[in-house]
Amino acid sequence: MNVRQKKLELIEAMNRARALEPSSFVPNKLLDTLIEKLNLKNDAELCRLLEVQPPIISKIRHGKLAVGATILLRMHEKSDLSIRELKELSATPTH
């Protein structure tokens, strides 16, 4: 087995392990709450309001990208929700 094959196997193993980890990030609740609170129709309007490209919101919604500090601040400024409230909206509820 060459180095490249070993590297690919390691990457695949890491991806499998990552897929098994429970995620504490639930972006849909956060995005849907913002859309509702701001009386927007959809993700496209949210993109325009937050001044981000549509793929950014799409990646956040599908769990491929975390909400970064810049977007979090824009969400706070536009919605008047506190940073804490925004973070709580994106966290998995504990039972």
Side-chain angles (χ1 to χ4, degrees), residues 24-37 43 46 60-63 67 75 81 85-95:
S24 64
F25 178 62
V26 184
N28 289 337
K29 184 177 178 185
L30 170 64
L31 298 175
D32 292 342
T33 300
L34 284 171
I35 287 171
E36 183 180 327
K37 180 169 175 50
D43 285 352
L46 183 61
I60 290 171
R61 187 170 287 282
H62 292 96
V67 177
M75 289 174 173
L81 291 170
E85 289 172 309
L86 292 168
K87 284 185 173 185
E88 287 172 359
L89 284 171
S90 65
T92 301
T94 54
H95 296 104

Side-chain angles (χ1 to χ4, degrees), residues 31 34-36 38-54 57 61 78:
L31 298 175
L34 284 171
I35 287 171
E36 183 180 327
L38 300 169
N39 296 317
L40 303 174
K41 292 180 184 175
N42 51 35
D43 285 352
E45 284 191 359
L46 183 61
C47 291
R48 287 189 285 276
L49 182 77
L50 298 177
E51 301 174 13
V52 297
Q53 295 296 315
I57 296 298
R61 187 170 287 282
K78 300 295 182 178

Side-chain angles (χ1 to χ4, degrees), residues 5-21:
Q5 288 173 324
K6 287 181 182 179
K7 183 177 179 182
L8 289 174
E9 281 187 9
L10 179 62
I11 290 171
E12 287 175 19
M14 288 171 46
N15 287 336
R16 283 192 304 270
R18 194 174 293 133
L20 295 174
E21 293 175 356

